Amino acid sequence: MMKEQLWNIISAVRQTSPLVHNITNYVVMNNTANALLAAGASPVMAHAHSEMNDMVAIAGALVVNIGTLDEYWVESMKLAAKQAKTLNKSWVLDPVGAGATPYRNQVLEELLTYSPVVIRGNGSEIMSLAKANIKTKGVDSTNLSEEALEAAQQLSEDTGAVVCVSGATDYIVYKGNCITLANGHALMARVTGMGCTASALIAACCAVNPAEPFVATTAAMALMGVAGEIAAEKASGPGSMQLYFLDALYQLSENKFTQRLKMDSK
């Protein structure tokens, strides 16, 4: 059963605590590290050029998140992505704010040459990356996830990557397959970095199941959505949502996960 397969991946993260190397943005470092720890993974935030090759070599997976771009960090991203490709390590590209500026688009074009295994973004980011002639509003999506489905399929075909469009409904596409996940809650959009957290969790799941990035991505997004839903039931606003979300990641049981998961295929 697919649900059992997804839970086995989530469980493997808890049991093996894979090291996830994050080159991410200043805004979300703390949130991302705490979410990875709550899910059972081991986070490291590293961007010094001198240690990129060594850090990628010891990590289970890499996340490259372009949220707060900086020329030094861009070089770190390219060095790390190149090493991940060389070593055949899973790496996840989070194209935050794709389409917002020409520089951002240029950086993304360069990063795509290093063959990310998974690309996760909101509807506008995925459409922009797929050259769907759209501009984003800063880092916020102006397009619904379902509007980006065709662009996601095209992007996956062009890059060979699993493409995940996150939103009220999450779409994960790869080689003609499409899984939809309808968990989560609107309150998640009021907490900064939830998308960045999703990308980091995808990397953790890919680290324990590198041979099946499509299934690993689905497991991470399912975990994210179910935990968010549980947290929102207790939260009274964005502040408590953050706290309850970490608790939900940490406490989630197989029974609750399988009972709540709203998954379908298109």
Side-chain angles (χ1 to χ4, degrees):
M1 263 181 71
M2 181 70 160
K3 282 186 179 181
E4 188 178 335
Q5 193 180 5
L6 299 182
W7 180 256
N8 286 342
I9 293 170
I10 293 165
S11 188
V13 171
R14 291 177 172 180
Q15 289 164 9
T16 64
S17 193
L19 181 66
V20 179
H21 176 192
N22 301 265
I23 304 177
T24 190
N25 66 76
Y26 298 110
V27 182
V28 304
M29 281 191 190
N30 184 269
N31 307 53
T32 301
N34 278 325
L36 284 169
L37 285 168
S42 179
V44 61
M45 274 60 184
H47 57 270
H49 296 171
S50 302
E51 67 174 357
M52 281 302 94
N53 285 351
D54 293 332
M55 192 62 79
V56 173
I58 64 170
L62 165 72
V63 184
V64 172
N65 176 308
I66 70 159
T68 49
L69 275 185
D70 165 279
E71 283 76 5
Y72 184 94
W73 282 37
V74 168
E75 186 59 29
S76 306
M77 292 171 184
K78 291 193 281 189
L79 288 168
K82 182 181 179 182
Q83 177 73 331
K85 184 179 181 182
T86 300
L87 298 179
N88 202 25
K89 289 275 179 91
S90 298
W91 79 275
V92 179
L93 175 62
D94 190 329
V96 180
T101 65
Y103 179 57
R104 207 161 276 262
N105 293 342
Q106 175 200 323
V107 169
L108 286 169
E109 278 190 31
E110 292 171 4
L111 288 170
L112 286 173
T113 65
Y114 299 111
S115 309
V117 172
V118 183
I119 302 168
R120 189 223 58 85
N122 62 39
S124 296
E125 290 161 352
I126 296 302
M127 290 174 77
S128 176
L129 212 53
K131 305 288 193 294
N133 193 27
I134 124 119
K135 278 185 77 87
T136 51
K137 187 185 87 178
V139 300
D140 295 322
S141 183
T142 54
N143 293 83
L144 299 173
S145 53
E146 52 264 34
E147 294 177 293
L149 183 53
E150 192 177 326
Q153 290 164 334
Q154 187 61 54
L155 183 61
S156 181
E157 199 175 301
D158 292 345
T159 61
V162 175
V163 175
C164 173
V165 191
S166 56
T169 301
D170 300 321
Y171 295 90
I172 301 113
V173 302
Y174 185 57
K175 292 185 175 177
N177 298 306
C178 177
I179 286 179
T180 64
L181 299 169
N183 292 98
H185 191 274
L187 198 52
M188 295 172 80
R190 296 290 180 180
V191 177
T192 190
M194 277 293 190
C196 306
T197 294
S199 296
L201 291 175
I202 288 169
C205 289
C206 284
V208 299
N209 193 14
E212 298 177 295
F214 179 65
V215 183
T217 300
T218 305
M221 295 307 295
L223 171 62
M224 185 88 194
V226 171
E229 205 171 84
I230 291 169
E233 288 171 4
K234 297 179 180 178
S236 53
S240 52
M241 178 68 184
Q242 280 187 294
L243 298 174
Y244 286 124
F245 176 70
L246 292 176
D247 287 351
L249 284 178
Y250 182 74
Q251 295 170 348
L252 188 63
S253 66
E254 181 177 5
N255 190 40
K256 265 190 181 175
F257 176 77
T258 52
Q259 279 182 354
R260 284 180 173 263
L261 185 59
K262 301 166 191 167
M263 179 173 62
D264 205 351
S265 55
K266 288 173 76 78

